[in-house]
Amino acid sequence: MTQESSEVLEKHANSGSHLRGSSEYVRLVISDEPRAVEAEILQPQAESRIKSFWWWMKCFLWCFVIVILALILMKWGVPFFFEKILYPIMEWEATAFGRPVLALVLVSSLALFPVFLIPSGPSMWLAGMIFGYDFGFFIIMVGTTIGMVLPYLIGLLFRDRIHQWLMRWPQNATMIRLAGEGNWFRQFQVVALFRVSPFPYTIFNYAVVVTNMRFWPYLCGSVAGMVPEAFIYIYSGRLIKTLADAQYGKHHLTTVEIVYNIISFVVAIVTTIAFTVYAKRTLNELKIAGSNEEVTYVSEKGCFEMEKLPLERPKISYNFSR
């Protein structure tokens, strides 16, 4: 009896120690779980702090580099540009050409440079420097209008090749396709936005021929979109000429002129940024809307279609589903 009771007591003791050990294990496991959860929460926070720190360090370094480059440019680059490039060109133009001949040269350069995908900004600057706001604006608008019509007409002859070239960049093709959609006013609006946006206008002149864009909305929208850019180029050209004259002692800037030039320069920069941001945002919104329509169309038809101009060749479809 005594032996049996001792065995029972021993079993109870073992079971009690087992229960106590299990409870301690459970307690240890439960106590470790909040620590694991806390570690999982703190680790992403630490990583985000490290990433934020490196991001700010990169921003600081880039700002430092930009400031250094700007100081170097203002110290040596700008004087070199005025002395070796700008001022000799201005003297050569003033002595080698009369004003009527120079006007024809500028109109010709503005008309022919876009045909060869050459930016025509320097010619606009020269028009602003030499002829000012009135006649300079007339020269710029005449030359750029011809320079927008000629690539359009030439592109009509090579639209199949341009179409194949655009197939390599379907996103840009989707953006350009927006110009040919809608009624007359919508085409006019989209073309004007393209002229103001950072999209390369020399490429747009050729690429627009593969859309359903009509000629008159293209021409009117292009002219309307070039008006702000023409005034910006004329102003910057006049400002460069004023600084060049002040650099070489031909003109002394008064305090009022300095304040006026600074304020007008800031206004010009802000206006340019505002026009660019507005145009880019509007085109992105139109692109998103067009992409949604394209997804619906591709899901139904399995192909992407960029329409040809009316009264020309039948529509050509290219399969982008591969």
Side-chain angles (χ1 to χ4, degrees):
M1 190 72 178
T2 306
Q3 184 177 0
E4 292 178 355
S5 62
S6 63
E7 290 178 355
V8 171
L9 290 174
E10 186 177 356
K11 288 181 180 179
H12 282 294
N14 292 332
S15 62
S17 62
H18 177 71
L19 290 173
R20 186 167 58 254
S22 300
S23 63
E24 290 177 356
Y25 174 76
V26 170
R27 187 171 63 253
L28 288 174
V29 171
I30 294 174
S31 62
D32 287 342
E33 286 180 356
R35 294 179 183 177
V37 173
E38 184 178 359
E40 291 178 356
I41 295 173
L42 292 177
Q43 185 175 2
Q45 292 179 354
E47 292 178 355
S48 64
R49 290 176 182 175
I50 294 173
K51 290 181 180 179
S52 177
F53 172 76
W54 283 112
W55 186 85
W56 282 107
M57 286 296 296
K58 290 179 180 178
C59 288
F60 175 77
L61 291 175
W62 275 110
C63 291
F64 180 76
V65 171
I66 291 172
V67 170
I68 295 298
L69 292 177
L71 292 176
I72 294 174
L73 183 65
M74 293 298 296
K75 179 67 177 178
W76 291 285
V78 173
F80 177 82
F81 174 76
F82 280 115
E83 182 178 357
K84 302 297 183 181
I85 299 175
L86 180 62
Y87 204 72
I89 290 176
M90 292 173 61
E91 288 186 344
W92 173 73
E93 287 181 341
T95 56
F97 300 102
R99 291 177 69 87
V101 177
L102 184 58
L104 291 176
V105 170
L106 290 175
V107 169
S108 301
S109 64
L110 291 170
L112 295 178
F113 281 0
V115 176
F116 301 100
L117 303 179
I118 301 174
S120 54
S123 297
M124 297 186 195
W125 277 326
L126 291 175
M129 291 179 192
I130 299 169
F131 295 99
Y133 285 95
D134 46 6
F135 198 60
F137 177 76
F138 176 77
I139 290 174
I140 290 175
M141 295 308 297
V142 171
T144 53
T145 301
I146 299 173
M148 291 180 290
V149 172
L150 286 179
Y152 181 89
L153 298 177
I154 295 173
L156 292 175
L157 303 176
F158 302 96
R159 57 168 64 187
D160 291 335
R161 293 186 180 181
I162 296 174
H163 214 141
Q164 294 175 1
W165 178 76
L166 285 176
M167 287 178 61
R168 303 176 185 176
W169 295 276
Q171 293 182 353
N172 293 331
T174 304
M175 178 73 75
I176 294 172
R177 188 169 63 99
L178 296 173
E181 297 178 350
N183 55 17
W184 193 98
F185 180 75
R186 189 178 186 278
Q187 292 183 358
F188 165 85
Q189 180 186 15
V190 174
V191 172
L193 291 173
F194 265 105
R195 296 300 180 189
V196 180
S197 70
F199 194 91
Y201 68 93
T202 53
I203 297 176
F204 178 76
N205 294 336
Y206 285 104
V208 75
V209 299
V210 301
T211 69
N212 198 31
M213 170 63 63
R214 294 183 290 273
F215 176 75
W216 289 110
Y218 167 79
L219 179 61
C220 296
S222 298
V223 172
M226 281 300 301
V227 170
E229 186 176 359
F231 277 109
I232 293 297
Y233 272 106
I234 292 173
Y235 165 75
S236 58
R238 299 295 295 176
L239 181 62
I240 291 172
K241 184 178 183 301
T242 301
L243 295 177
D245 291 338
Q247 178 75 20
Y248 290 96
K250 289 188 175 182
H251 179 71
H252 178 69
L253 292 175
T254 63
T255 304
V256 176
E257 289 177 331
I258 293 174
V259 174
Y260 169 77
N261 287 324
I262 293 174
I263 294 176
S264 59
F265 179 75
V266 173
V267 171
I269 294 296
V270 172
T271 304
T272 304
I273 294 174
F275 271 111
T276 304
V277 171
Y278 170 75
K280 189 174 182 179
R281 184 179 61 185
T282 306
L283 287 175
N284 286 333
E285 292 175 356
L286 294 174
K287 181 181 179 181
I288 292 172
S291 298
N292 294 333
E293 295 178 358
E294 177 190 338
V295 170
T296 304
Y297 182 80
V298 170
S299 62
E300 295 177 354
K301 302 291 185 180
C303 65
F304 174 81
E305 182 178 284
M306 184 176 288
E307 295 182 349
K308 293 290 186 178
L309 286 170
L311 303 179
E312 290 288 336
R313 298 180 183 178
K315 297 178 182 179
I316 298 176
S317 298
Y318 291 98
N319 192 349
F320 284 176
S321 60
R322 291 180 297 176

